[in-house]
Amino acid sequence: MRKIYLGVLALYLGILSSHAQIGKTVVKDTSNYESRRLKIDEINFVSAYYHQDGNNSAVTGGIGTEKLTDFANTFDLQLSKYSASGKKHTFLFELGIDHYTSASSDKIDPNTISSASMSDNRIYPSLNWTVSNEKTGNAFGITGSYSHEFDYQSVGGGVNLTRVSKNKNTQFDFKAQVFLDKWKVILPVELRPPGYGSGSDREDHSPVDHKPRNSYSTSFSISQVIDTKLQALFIVEPSWQHGLLATKYQRDYFTDGSERVENLPGDRYKLPVAVRFNYFPGDHFIIRTFYRYYLDNWGIRAHTAEIEVPVKLTAFVSVSPFYRYNNQTGTRYFAPYGQHNPADNYYTSDYDLSTLHSNFIGANLRLAPPKGVFGWQHLNTLELRYGHYMRSTGLNSNIITLAMKFK
Amino acid sequence: MKKRARFTWLLCSLLTGTAFSSCQTVKAYQKNKLNDSEMELSARKAQKFEQSFQLYREGGSGANGGKSGGGCGCN
Protein backbone atom coordinates (compact mmCIF):
# COMPACT_ATOMS: atom_id res chain seq x y z
CA MET A 1 0.00 0.00 0.00
CA ARG A 2 2.88 2.30 0.96
CA LYS A 3 4.37 1.60 -2.48
CA ILE A 4 1.12 2.72 -4.09
CA TYR A 5 1.10 5.93 -2.02
CA LEU A 6 4.72 6.55 -2.92
CA GLY A 7 3.88 5.86 -6.59
CA VAL A 8 0.97 8.34 -6.48
CA LEU A 9 3.23 10.91 -4.76
CA ALA A 10 5.91 10.41 -7.42
CA LEU A 11 3.27 10.81 -10.14
CA TYR A 12 1.98 13.97 -8.49
CA LEU A 13 5.49 15.38 -8.17
CA GLY A 14 6.09 14.41 -11.79
CA ILE A 15 2.98 16.32 -12.84
CA LEU A 16 4.07 19.28 -10.69
CA SER A 17 7.54 19.23 -12.18
CA SER A 18 6.06 19.01 -15.69
CA HIS A 19 3.94 22.08 -14.81
CA ALA A 20 7.11 23.66 -13.57
CA GLN A 21 8.61 22.91 -16.99
CA ILE A 22 5.65 24.59 -18.67
CA GLY A 23 6.08 27.47 -16.29
CA LYS A 24 9.74 27.72 -17.30
CA THR A 25 8.75 27.76 -20.97
CA VAL A 26 6.37 30.62 -20.27
CA VAL A 27 9.23 32.52 -18.64
CA LYS A 28 11.34 31.85 -21.75
CA ASP A 29 8.59 33.24 -23.99
CA THR A 30 8.41 36.30 -21.81
CA SER A 31 12.11 36.86 -22.38
CA ASN A 32 11.41 36.85 -26.15
CA TYR A 33 8.89 39.63 -25.72
CA GLU A 34 9.99 42.71 -27.65
CA SER A 35 9.78 45.99 -25.85
CA ARG A 36 7.24 48.33 -27.42
CA ARG A 37 9.07 51.41 -26.23
CA LEU A 38 10.88 53.57 -28.74
CA LYS A 39 14.58 52.75 -28.50
CA ILE A 40 17.71 54.04 -30.15
CA ASP A 41 19.14 51.44 -32.56
CA GLU A 42 22.14 53.42 -33.70
CA ILE A 43 23.51 56.89 -34.27
CA ASN A 44 25.89 57.66 -37.13
CA PHE A 45 28.06 60.68 -37.60
CA VAL A 46 29.95 61.14 -40.87
CA SER A 47 32.23 64.09 -41.52
CA ALA A 48 34.35 64.76 -44.61
CA TYR A 49 36.76 67.37 -45.88
CA TYR A 50 37.10 67.63 -49.65
CA HIS A 51 39.47 69.78 -51.68
CA GLN A 52 39.86 69.93 -55.46
CA ASP A 53 41.86 71.94 -57.97
CA GLY A 54 41.96 72.06 -61.74
CA ASN A 55 41.94 74.48 -64.66
CA ASN A 56 38.71 73.85 -66.59
CA SER A 57 36.04 75.84 -64.80
CA ALA A 58 32.63 75.76 -66.49
CA VAL A 59 31.76 79.18 -65.00
CA THR A 60 34.45 80.77 -67.18
CA GLY A 61 33.69 78.67 -70.25
CA GLY A 62 36.10 75.76 -69.74
CA ILE A 63 39.18 77.66 -68.58
CA GLY A 64 40.22 78.95 -65.16
CA THR A 65 40.35 77.70 -61.62
CA GLU A 66 38.19 74.85 -60.34
CA LYS A 67 39.47 75.27 -56.78
CA LEU A 68 36.80 74.16 -54.34
CA THR A 69 36.60 73.04 -50.71
CA ASP A 70 33.68 71.35 -49.03
CA PHE A 71 33.27 70.48 -45.37
CA ALA A 72 30.36 68.05 -45.21
CA ASN A 73 28.69 66.48 -42.18
CA THR A 74 25.75 64.18 -41.63
CA PHE A 75 24.18 62.97 -38.46
CA ASP A 76 21.61 60.18 -38.48
CA LEU A 77 19.54 58.69 -35.74
CA GLN A 78 17.76 55.35 -36.08
CA LEU A 79 14.95 54.56 -33.63
CA SER A 80 12.64 51.58 -33.51
CA LYS A 81 9.67 50.18 -31.66
CA TYR A 82 7.35 47.19 -31.92
CA SER A 83 3.62 47.72 -32.33
CA ALA A 84 0.97 45.66 -30.56
CA SER A 85 0.66 43.50 -33.69
CA GLY A 86 4.39 42.66 -33.53
CA LYS A 87 5.43 44.82 -36.50
CA LYS A 88 8.67 46.73 -36.24
CA HIS A 89 8.53 50.47 -36.84
CA THR A 90 11.86 52.05 -37.72
CA PHE A 91 12.38 55.79 -37.87
CA LEU A 92 15.51 57.15 -39.53
CA PHE A 93 16.17 60.85 -39.14
CA GLU A 94 19.10 62.36 -41.00
CA LEU A 95 20.49 65.86 -40.93
CA GLY A 96 23.22 67.00 -43.31
CA ILE A 97 25.12 70.28 -43.26
CA ASP A 98 27.74 71.25 -45.86
CA HIS A 99 29.86 74.35 -46.07
CA TYR A 100 31.65 74.96 -49.36
CA THR A 101 33.74 77.62 -51.03
CA SER A 102 34.08 77.73 -54.80
CA ALA A 103 36.65 79.94 -56.50
CA SER A 104 34.96 79.53 -59.90
CA SER A 105 31.58 80.66 -58.56
CA ASP A 106 33.28 83.87 -57.56
CA LYS A 107 33.80 84.51 -61.28
CA ILE A 108 30.05 84.91 -61.88
CA ASP A 109 30.68 88.56 -61.13
CA PRO A 110 34.44 89.22 -60.87
CA ASN A 111 33.78 92.93 -60.21
CA THR A 112 32.30 92.33 -56.79
CA ILE A 113 34.41 91.32 -53.83
CA SER A 114 32.41 88.13 -53.43
CA SER A 115 29.63 87.05 -55.73
CA ALA A 116 26.43 85.26 -54.84
CA SER A 117 27.58 81.64 -54.66
CA MET A 118 31.26 82.03 -53.76
CA SER A 119 30.65 80.30 -50.44
CA ASP A 120 27.50 78.73 -49.20
CA ASN A 121 25.92 76.36 -46.72
CA ARG A 122 23.62 73.52 -47.60
CA ILE A 123 21.31 71.99 -45.03
CA TYR A 124 19.31 68.85 -45.75
CA PRO A 125 17.14 67.01 -43.22
CA SER A 126 15.18 63.83 -44.08
CA LEU A 127 12.93 61.37 -42.27
CA ASN A 128 12.11 57.77 -43.19
CA TRP A 129 9.49 55.61 -41.51
CA THR A 130 9.56 51.90 -42.32
CA VAL A 131 7.19 49.23 -41.01
CA SER A 132 8.51 45.70 -41.29
CA ASN A 133 6.95 42.35 -40.56
CA GLU A 134 9.77 40.05 -39.49
CA LYS A 135 7.56 36.96 -39.88
CA THR A 136 6.71 37.54 -43.55
CA GLY A 137 9.90 39.45 -44.49
CA ASN A 138 7.89 42.34 -45.96
CA ALA A 139 8.60 45.99 -45.26
CA PHE A 140 7.09 49.25 -46.43
CA GLY A 141 8.38 52.75 -45.81
CA ILE A 142 7.93 56.40 -46.71
CA THR A 143 10.49 59.22 -46.80
CA GLY A 144 10.28 62.98 -46.75
CA SER A 145 13.28 65.24 -47.39
CA TYR A 146 14.24 68.88 -47.76
CA SER A 147 17.37 70.65 -48.95
CA HIS A 148 18.23 74.32 -48.81
CA GLU A 149 21.08 76.30 -50.35
CA PHE A 150 21.44 79.99 -51.12
CA ASP A 151 20.09 79.56 -54.66
CA TYR A 152 18.49 76.11 -54.52
CA GLN A 153 15.59 74.48 -52.65
CA SER A 154 14.44 70.91 -52.88
CA VAL A 155 11.45 69.06 -51.44
CA GLY A 156 11.48 65.28 -51.77
CA GLY A 157 9.29 62.29 -51.05
CA GLY A 158 9.53 58.58 -51.64
CA VAL A 159 8.39 55.06 -50.86
CA ASN A 160 10.40 51.90 -50.29
CA LEU A 161 9.39 48.23 -50.33
CA THR A 162 11.38 45.19 -49.24
CA ARG A 163 10.64 41.49 -49.64
CA VAL A 164 12.90 38.91 -48.00
CA SER A 165 12.65 35.22 -48.96
CA LYS A 166 11.70 32.61 -46.35
CA ASN A 167 15.27 31.29 -46.08
CA LYS A 168 16.56 34.92 -45.93
CA ASN A 169 18.97 34.28 -48.81
CA THR A 170 17.23 36.54 -51.33
CA GLN A 171 16.10 40.12 -50.81
CA PHE A 172 14.22 42.33 -53.24
CA ASP A 173 14.09 46.10 -52.74
CA PHE A 174 12.15 48.75 -54.59
CA LYS A 175 12.40 52.49 -54.10
CA ALA A 176 10.63 55.38 -55.85
CA GLN A 177 11.61 58.99 -55.17
CA VAL A 178 10.48 62.41 -56.33
CA PHE A 179 12.46 65.61 -55.82
CA LEU A 180 10.74 68.89 -56.62
CA ASP A 181 13.44 71.54 -56.82
CA LYS A 182 13.48 75.29 -57.39
CA TRP A 183 16.59 77.03 -58.68
CA LYS A 184 17.33 80.75 -58.56
CA VAL A 185 18.59 81.71 -62.03
CA ILE A 186 21.84 83.59 -61.45
CA LEU A 187 23.48 84.86 -64.66
CA PRO A 188 27.08 85.94 -65.38
CA VAL A 189 27.36 89.68 -64.83
CA GLU A 190 27.99 90.60 -68.48
CA LEU A 191 25.03 88.54 -69.75
CA ARG A 192 22.35 89.92 -67.44
CA PRO A 193 19.49 91.74 -69.26
CA PRO A 194 18.82 95.32 -68.08
CA GLY A 195 17.07 95.29 -64.68
CA TYR A 196 17.99 91.65 -63.96
CA GLY A 197 19.33 91.15 -60.46
CA SER A 198 22.61 89.64 -59.30
CA GLY A 199 20.80 87.03 -57.22
CA SER A 200 22.49 88.26 -54.07
CA ASP A 201 20.18 89.78 -51.48
CA ARG A 202 23.19 91.52 -49.99
CA GLU A 203 23.94 93.54 -53.13
CA ASP A 204 20.64 94.38 -54.77
CA HIS A 205 17.00 93.41 -54.65
CA SER A 206 16.33 93.45 -58.41
CA PRO A 207 14.23 90.44 -59.43
CA VAL A 208 15.69 87.20 -60.77
CA ASP A 209 13.93 84.18 -62.29
CA HIS A 210 13.28 80.94 -60.45
CA LYS A 211 13.04 77.72 -62.45
CA PRO A 212 11.99 74.18 -61.47
CA ARG A 213 14.17 71.09 -61.76
CA ASN A 214 12.30 67.92 -60.87
CA SER A 215 13.80 64.44 -60.53
CA TYR A 216 11.89 61.16 -60.57
CA SER A 217 13.88 58.05 -59.79
CA THR A 218 13.18 54.39 -59.17
CA SER A 219 15.47 51.69 -57.92
CA PHE A 220 15.06 47.92 -58.23
CA SER A 221 17.59 45.70 -56.52
CA ILE A 222 17.98 42.04 -55.72
CA SER A 223 20.57 40.68 -53.33
CA GLN A 224 21.39 37.00 -53.25
CA VAL A 225 23.46 34.71 -51.06
CA ILE A 226 25.33 32.47 -53.52
CA ASP A 227 27.20 30.25 -51.09
CA THR A 228 28.67 30.48 -47.59
CA LYS A 229 31.40 32.88 -48.78
CA LEU A 230 29.85 34.80 -51.66
CA GLN A 231 26.94 37.17 -52.04
CA ALA A 232 25.82 39.48 -54.84
CA LEU A 233 23.65 42.50 -55.50
CA PHE A 234 22.12 43.51 -58.83
CA ILE A 235 20.63 46.99 -59.11
CA VAL A 236 18.89 49.07 -61.80
CA GLU A 237 18.05 52.74 -61.20
CA PRO A 238 16.11 54.39 -64.04
CA SER A 239 15.53 58.12 -63.50
CA TRP A 240 14.18 61.16 -65.31
CA GLN A 241 14.98 64.81 -64.72
CA HIS A 242 12.86 67.62 -66.08
CA GLY A 243 13.19 71.41 -65.92
CA LEU A 244 16.24 73.65 -65.79
CA LEU A 245 19.12 71.19 -66.17
CA ALA A 246 21.66 73.73 -67.45
CA THR A 247 23.61 75.86 -64.97
CA LYS A 248 22.84 79.37 -66.13
CA TYR A 249 25.85 81.05 -64.56
CA GLN A 250 28.17 78.91 -66.68
CA ARG A 251 29.48 80.61 -69.84
CA ASP A 252 30.08 79.20 -73.33
CA TYR A 253 32.32 80.73 -76.01
CA PHE A 254 31.73 80.15 -79.72
CA THR A 255 33.94 79.98 -82.81
CA ASP A 256 32.66 83.41 -83.92
CA GLY A 257 33.84 84.97 -80.64
CA SER A 258 30.33 85.28 -79.17
CA GLU A 259 29.41 84.33 -75.62
CA ARG A 260 26.19 82.82 -74.18
CA VAL A 261 25.03 81.09 -71.02
CA GLU A 262 25.02 77.29 -70.95
CA ASN A 263 22.02 75.67 -72.59
CA LEU A 264 21.09 72.00 -72.25
CA PRO A 265 17.89 70.00 -72.98
CA GLY A 266 15.12 70.20 -70.39
CA ASP A 267 14.84 66.41 -70.08
CA ARG A 268 17.39 63.82 -69.08
CA TYR A 269 16.77 60.09 -68.85
CA LYS A 270 19.39 58.05 -67.01
CA LEU A 271 19.82 54.30 -66.80
CA PRO A 272 22.56 52.97 -64.52
CA VAL A 273 22.87 49.20 -64.05
CA ALA A 274 25.23 47.86 -61.41
CA VAL A 275 26.38 44.65 -59.82
CA ARG A 276 28.29 44.00 -56.60
CA PHE A 277 30.03 40.80 -55.53
CA ASN A 278 31.45 40.37 -52.02
CA TYR A 279 33.64 37.34 -51.40
CA PHE A 280 35.19 36.12 -48.14
CA PRO A 281 37.76 33.52 -49.26
CA GLY A 282 39.84 33.12 -46.08
CA ASP A 283 40.00 34.34 -42.52
CA HIS A 284 42.08 37.44 -43.15
CA PHE A 285 40.80 39.19 -46.22
CA ILE A 286 37.62 39.95 -48.14
CA ILE A 287 37.16 41.02 -51.74
CA ARG A 288 34.51 43.66 -52.43
CA THR A 289 33.84 44.43 -56.09
CA PHE A 290 31.50 46.81 -57.91
CA TYR A 291 30.78 47.42 -61.59
CA ARG A 292 28.34 49.90 -63.17
CA TYR A 293 27.31 50.67 -66.71
CA TYR A 294 25.60 54.02 -67.28
CA LEU A 295 23.80 55.54 -70.25
CA ASP A 296 21.62 58.61 -70.77
CA ASN A 297 19.88 60.47 -73.58
CA TRP A 298 22.55 63.22 -73.67
CA GLY A 299 24.94 60.68 -75.12
CA ILE A 300 26.95 59.95 -71.99
CA ARG A 301 28.11 56.34 -71.61
CA ALA A 302 30.23 55.25 -68.66
CA HIS A 303 31.88 52.20 -67.16
CA THR A 304 32.83 52.25 -63.48
CA ALA A 305 34.71 49.46 -61.72
CA GLU A 306 35.79 49.35 -58.11
CA ILE A 307 37.69 46.88 -55.97
CA GLU A 308 38.28 47.05 -52.24
CA VAL A 309 40.16 44.41 -50.25
CA PRO A 310 39.58 44.62 -46.48
CA VAL A 311 42.53 42.98 -44.71
CA LYS A 312 41.64 41.86 -41.19
CA LEU A 313 44.62 42.64 -38.96
CA THR A 314 42.61 41.28 -36.03
CA ALA A 315 38.97 40.23 -35.76
CA PHE A 316 38.08 43.84 -34.98
CA VAL A 317 40.58 45.93 -36.96
CA SER A 318 40.78 46.04 -40.73
CA VAL A 319 42.57 48.10 -43.37
CA SER A 320 40.96 48.24 -46.80
CA PRO A 321 42.92 49.56 -49.76
CA PHE A 322 40.62 50.43 -52.68
CA TYR A 323 40.83 51.43 -56.32
CA ARG A 324 38.13 52.84 -58.60
CA TYR A 325 38.32 53.40 -62.34
CA ASN A 326 35.79 55.37 -64.36
CA ASN A 327 35.71 55.87 -68.09
CA GLN A 328 33.07 58.00 -69.79
CA THR A 329 32.16 59.13 -73.27
CA GLY A 330 31.03 62.74 -72.98
CA THR A 331 27.78 64.35 -74.03
CA ARG A 332 27.31 65.42 -77.65
CA TYR A 333 26.71 68.99 -76.40
CA PHE A 334 30.21 69.45 -75.00
CA ALA A 335 32.97 71.54 -76.61
CA PRO A 336 36.02 73.22 -75.02
CA TYR A 337 36.53 76.98 -74.67
CA GLY A 338 35.87 78.90 -77.92
CA GLN A 339 34.99 75.81 -79.96
CA HIS A 340 31.18 75.79 -79.93
CA ASN A 341 29.32 76.11 -83.22
CA PRO A 342 27.09 79.25 -83.13
CA ALA A 343 24.34 77.26 -84.91
CA ASP A 344 24.03 74.71 -82.09
CA ASN A 345 20.90 74.67 -79.90
CA TYR A 346 22.55 73.08 -76.90
CA TYR A 347 26.05 73.69 -75.60
CA THR A 348 28.18 73.26 -72.52
CA SER A 349 31.86 73.60 -71.61
CA ASP A 350 31.39 71.74 -68.35
CA TYR A 351 34.23 69.21 -68.24
CA ASP A 352 32.22 67.02 -65.84
CA LEU A 353 30.19 66.09 -68.95
CA SER A 354 33.17 65.62 -71.30
CA THR A 355 34.96 62.47 -72.42
CA LEU A 356 37.28 61.52 -69.58
CA HIS A 357 38.65 58.79 -67.40
CA SER A 358 39.47 58.93 -63.70
CA ASN A 359 41.39 56.96 -61.08
CA PHE A 360 40.54 57.02 -57.41
CA ILE A 361 42.83 55.35 -54.92
CA GLY A 362 42.92 55.22 -51.13
CA ALA A 363 42.38 53.20 -47.98
CA ASN A 364 39.83 52.70 -45.24
CA LEU A 365 40.74 51.94 -41.63
CA ARG A 366 38.00 50.31 -39.57
CA LEU A 367 37.96 49.73 -35.82
CA ALA A 368 35.12 47.81 -34.20
CA PRO A 369 36.33 46.26 -30.92
CA PRO A 370 33.70 44.45 -28.80
CA LYS A 371 34.34 46.71 -25.79
CA GLY A 372 33.96 49.85 -27.89
CA VAL A 373 36.49 52.03 -29.67
CA PHE A 374 39.07 53.49 -27.21
CA GLY A 375 37.21 51.55 -24.51
CA TRP A 376 34.10 53.68 -24.96
CA GLN A 377 31.30 51.09 -25.03
CA HIS A 378 28.84 53.24 -26.99
CA LEU A 379 31.29 54.00 -29.82
CA ASN A 380 30.67 50.80 -31.76
CA THR A 381 32.63 51.47 -34.97
CA LEU A 382 35.09 54.07 -36.20
CA GLU A 383 36.17 54.40 -39.81
CA LEU A 384 38.79 56.72 -41.22
CA ARG A 385 38.99 56.89 -45.00
CA TYR A 386 41.26 58.76 -47.39
CA GLY A 387 41.04 58.95 -51.16
CA HIS A 388 42.99 60.69 -53.92
CA TYR A 389 41.20 61.38 -57.22
CA MET A 390 42.93 61.99 -60.54
CA ARG A 391 40.93 62.94 -63.63
CA SER A 392 42.31 62.90 -67.17
CA THR A 393 41.23 66.56 -67.62
CA GLY A 394 43.82 67.59 -65.00
CA LEU A 395 41.43 67.90 -62.06
CA ASN A 396 42.82 66.41 -58.83
CA SER A 397 41.19 66.11 -55.47
CA ASN A 398 41.59 64.67 -51.99
CA ILE A 399 38.92 63.59 -49.55
CA ILE A 400 39.25 62.50 -45.94
CA THR A 401 36.24 61.05 -44.13
CA LEU A 402 35.57 60.12 -40.54
CA ALA A 403 32.56 57.90 -39.79
CA MET A 404 31.46 56.94 -36.30
CA LYS A 405 28.69 54.58 -35.28
CA PHE A 406 27.25 54.74 -31.77
CA LYS A 407 25.04 52.01 -30.31
CA MET B 1 29.04 52.12 -79.69
CA LYS B 2 25.58 50.50 -79.71
CA LYS B 3 27.22 47.12 -80.28
CA ARG B 4 29.53 47.68 -77.30
CA ALA B 5 26.63 48.69 -75.07
CA ARG B 6 24.67 45.61 -76.12
CA PHE B 7 27.71 43.42 -75.44
CA THR B 8 28.12 44.95 -71.94
CA TRP B 9 24.44 44.33 -71.17
CA LEU B 10 24.74 40.76 -72.35
CA LEU B 11 27.90 40.15 -70.34
CA CYS B 12 26.36 41.64 -67.18
CA SER B 13 23.19 39.57 -67.57
CA LEU B 14 25.19 36.41 -68.21
CA LEU B 15 27.49 36.93 -65.22
CA THR B 16 24.67 37.83 -62.86
CA GLY B 17 22.41 35.10 -64.20
CA THR B 18 25.13 32.47 -63.84
CA ALA B 19 26.02 33.62 -60.32
CA PHE B 20 22.39 33.74 -59.16
CA SER B 21 21.41 30.44 -60.73
CA SER B 22 24.26 28.56 -59.01
CA CYS B 23 23.07 29.59 -55.55
CA GLN B 24 23.13 27.20 -52.61
CA THR B 25 20.60 27.24 -49.81
CA VAL B 26 22.69 28.65 -46.98
CA LYS B 27 21.32 28.12 -43.49
CA ALA B 28 21.42 30.85 -40.86
CA TYR B 29 24.14 29.03 -38.87
CA GLN B 30 26.34 28.86 -41.99
CA LYS B 31 26.33 32.63 -42.44
CA ASN B 32 29.10 33.64 -40.04
CA LYS B 33 31.26 34.90 -42.92
CA LEU B 34 28.37 36.50 -44.79
CA ASN B 35 27.30 38.32 -41.62
CA ASP B 36 30.72 39.91 -41.20
CA SER B 37 30.26 43.68 -41.27
CA GLU B 38 32.85 44.00 -44.08
CA MET B 39 30.59 41.82 -46.25
CA GLU B 40 27.69 44.30 -46.28
CA LEU B 41 26.40 44.72 -49.82
CA SER B 42 25.59 48.38 -49.40
CA ALA B 43 28.30 50.98 -49.80
CA ARG B 44 30.15 51.97 -46.63
CA LYS B 45 28.79 54.95 -44.69
CA ALA B 46 32.24 56.51 -45.07
CA GLN B 47 31.78 56.40 -48.88
CA LYS B 48 28.79 58.69 -48.76
CA PHE B 49 30.62 61.91 -49.58
CA GLU B 50 32.94 60.27 -52.12
CA GLN B 51 29.93 59.18 -54.10
CA SER B 52 28.47 62.64 -53.77
CA PHE B 53 31.51 64.40 -55.28
CA GLN B 54 31.88 61.72 -57.97
CA LEU B 55 28.27 62.41 -58.92
CA TYR B 56 29.16 66.02 -59.71
CA ARG B 57 32.62 65.45 -61.23
CA GLU B 58 31.43 62.73 -63.62
CA GLY B 59 28.45 62.54 -65.95
CA GLY B 60 27.37 59.05 -64.92
CA SER B 61 25.66 58.53 -61.58
CA GLY B 62 23.35 56.26 -59.64
CA ALA B 63 23.09 52.57 -58.74
CA ASN B 64 25.73 52.78 -56.03
CA GLY B 65 23.70 53.95 -53.07
CA GLY B 66 24.80 57.56 -53.51
CA LYS B 67 22.74 60.68 -54.00
CA SER B 68 20.32 60.46 -56.93
CA GLY B 69 18.58 63.82 -56.72
CA GLY B 70 17.42 66.55 -54.43
CA GLY B 71 19.50 69.57 -53.70
CA CYS B 72 22.14 70.93 -56.01
CA GLY B 73 25.46 71.11 -54.15
CA CYS B 74 26.80 71.30 -57.67
CA ASN B 75 29.63 73.84 -57.62
PDB file of all heavy atoms in Angstrom, chain A residues 41 333 356 359:
ATOM      1  N   ASP A  41      18.393  52.560 -31.963  1.00  0.00           N
ATOM      2  CA  ASP A  41      19.141  51.437 -32.558  1.00  0.00           C
ATOM      3  C   ASP A  41      20.595  51.836 -32.778  1.00  0.00           C
ATOM      4  O   ASP A  41      21.505  51.129 -32.390  1.00  0.00           O
ATOM      5  CB  ASP A  41      18.536  51.039 -33.903  1.00  0.00           C
ATOM      6  CG  ASP A  41      17.254  50.264 -33.738  1.00  0.00           C
ATOM      7  OD1 ASP A  41      17.010  49.773 -32.619  1.00  0.00           O
ATOM      8  OD2 ASP A  41      16.493  50.158 -34.717  1.00  0.00           O
ATOM      9  N   TYR A 333      26.841  67.529 -76.494  1.00  0.00           N
ATOM     10  CA  TYR A 333      26.705  68.994 -76.400  1.00  0.00           C
ATOM     11  C   TYR A 333      27.977  69.667 -75.895  1.00  0.00           C
ATOM     12  O   TYR A 333      28.034  70.885 -75.759  1.00  0.00           O
ATOM     13  CB  TYR A 333      25.535  69.356 -75.473  1.00  0.00           C
ATOM     14  CG  TYR A 333      24.271  68.609 -75.808  1.00  0.00           C
ATOM     15  CD1 TYR A 333      23.645  67.772 -74.879  1.00  0.00           C
ATOM     16  CD2 TYR A 333      23.696  68.716 -77.078  1.00  0.00           C
ATOM     17  CE1 TYR A 333      22.499  67.070 -75.188  1.00  0.00           C
ATOM     18  CE2 TYR A 333      22.546  68.011 -77.402  1.00  0.00           C
ATOM     19  CZ  TYR A 333      21.954  67.182 -76.456  1.00  0.00           C
ATOM     20  OH  TYR A 333      20.823  66.483 -76.779  1.00  0.00           O
ATOM     21  N   LEU A 356      36.196  61.529 -70.577  1.00  0.00           N
ATOM     22  CA  LEU A 356      37.278  61.520 -69.580  1.00  0.00           C
ATOM     23  C   LEU A 356      37.426  60.132 -68.968  1.00  0.00           C
ATOM     24  O   LEU A 356      36.564  59.268 -69.131  1.00  0.00           O
ATOM     25  CB  LEU A 356      36.992  62.541 -68.478  1.00  0.00           C
ATOM     26  CG  LEU A 356      35.666  62.449 -67.708  1.00  0.00           C
ATOM     27  CD1 LEU A 356      35.742  61.474 -66.541  1.00  0.00           C
ATOM     28  CD2 LEU A 356      35.280  63.813 -67.174  1.00  0.00           C
ATOM     29  N   ASN A 359      40.883  57.976 -62.012  1.00  0.00           N
ATOM     30  CA  ASN A 359      41.391  56.956 -61.084  1.00  0.00           C
ATOM     31  C   ASN A 359      41.196  57.489 -59.666  1.00  0.00           C
ATOM     32  O   ASN A 359      41.453  58.672 -59.412  1.00  0.00           O
ATOM     33  CB  ASN A 359      42.887  56.710 -61.308  1.00  0.00           C
ATOM     34  CG  ASN A 359      43.158  56.116 -62.665  1.00  0.00           C
ATOM     35  OD1 ASN A 359      42.916  54.945 -62.898  1.00  0.00           O
ATOM     36  ND2 ASN A 359      43.635  56.929 -63.606  1.00  0.00           N
TER      37      ASN A 359
END
